[in-house]
Amino acid sequence: MSQSRPTYIFLGSSVTYGADGRSMCDYLSGTMDAEILKWAVSGTTLSSAYENSYVARLQAAIGKQEYCDHFICQLSTNDAGKSCGLGIISNSFSTEDFDTATIIGAMEFIIASARAKWNCPVSFYTGTYFENQRYADMVAALLKLAEKWRIGVIDLYNDAEMRAVDAGSYKRWMLDPVHPTWDGYVEWWGPRFREYLETHTK
């Protein structure tokens, strides 16, 4: 660890920001002996085709952050909603070779940048399952990208246990098909993130 307490950085949009400003990041902050940094702006995309993208915000913040023991990035549903181009997985590992206007290019740029800066584990996380073919395509692309880069994926989308919730619990845990409630973060999503970080951070 870089410090006595590990530092976890979460880059994302409204799902990372959370219901009333509280998400799994705040759950983790209250249940783990760790510093949780939440770099989240609602409505933003991975793709640099739109203003205030993940790419732009990472570039602005990365030089000011000395420590990171695990970097976690949200696979944003906003890219699916705004019909950002998916792109293709490149043969390169160099930041200057990625088309960050595409979703895959943005993800590759983020992975390469985080690794170069902090030499730490990098993971992406998906949302839980909802009916949207464009997001399903993004999840499939992420899983292929994970093989290239050997990154972690907190794959809530394809998690059979996460899907097998009763209607009453789902209604209490989700504001809509994309955004959890605070109870959803505490009782459903948060424990999965804690277990993952405890077992996947060096």
Side-chain angles (χ1 to χ4, degrees):
M1 299 297 181
S2 303
Q3 299 172 295
S4 59
R5 299 170 71 234
T7 298
Y8 302 130
I9 297 175
F10 283 77
L11 177 65
S13 49
S14 59
V15 174
T16 301
Y17 183 75
D20 299 321
R22 296 183 299 170
S23 70
M24 67 281 179
C25 299
D26 301 273
Y27 165 85
L28 295 171
S29 183
T31 58
M32 299 180 72
D33 184 20
E35 182 178 8
I36 311 295
L37 301 181
K38 182 164 56 173
W39 296 354
V41 176
S42 297
T44 55
T45 58
L46 286 154
S47 166
S48 63
Y50 289 88
E51 187 178 2
N52 216 11
S53 69
Y54 289 25
V55 168
R57 289 187 286 117
L58 178 63
Q59 288 177 301
I62 197 169
K64 305 170 188 175
Q65 178 61 37
E66 184 175 359
Y67 298 110
C68 181
D69 294 281
H70 200 138
F71 182 85
I72 306 98
C73 185
Q74 176 192 342
L75 187 69
S76 178
T77 57
N78 295 318
D79 292 76
K82 294 184 178 183
S83 298
C84 297
L86 184 61
I88 60 172
I89 297 175
S90 77
N91 294 320
S92 176
F93 289 87
S94 181
T95 53
E96 61 263 23
D97 293 330
F98 306 132
D99 180 4
T100 62
T102 69
I103 297 165
I104 291 174
M107 289 195 287
E108 295 211 76
F109 179 88
I110 289 166
I111 296 164
S113 297
R115 281 215 175 139
K117 173 64 177 181
W118 297 299
N119 190 30
C120 68
V122 175
S123 297
F124 271 71
Y125 81 89
T126 75
T128 44
Y129 180 80
F130 71 107
E131 292 282 349
N132 185 293
Q133 187 56 52
R134 286 186 57 79
Y135 194 69
D137 292 343
M138 288 172 59
V139 174
L142 169 61
L143 296 177
K144 291 180 181 178
L145 201 62
E147 295 177 8
K148 171 187 173 178
W149 287 92
R150 299 186 182 276
I151 62 167
V153 178
I154 307 170
D155 185 4
L156 305 181
Y157 188 85
N158 291 304
D159 189 313
E161 290 185 12
M162 298 294 283
R163 287 199 188 194
V165 296
D166 61 85
S169 295
Y170 187 86
K171 184 176 181 179
R172 187 165 62 85
W173 286 341
M174 296 295 285
L175 289 167
D176 57 41
V178 172
H179 301 89
T181 63
W182 176 235
D183 284 344
Y185 286 116
V186 171
E187 300 173 20
W188 195 26
W189 284 34
R192 288 298 176 99
F193 279 85
R194 178 174 179 175
E195 178 185 14
Y196 182 87
L197 291 174
E198 288 177 339
T199 56
H200 290 79
T201 302
K202 62 182 179 181

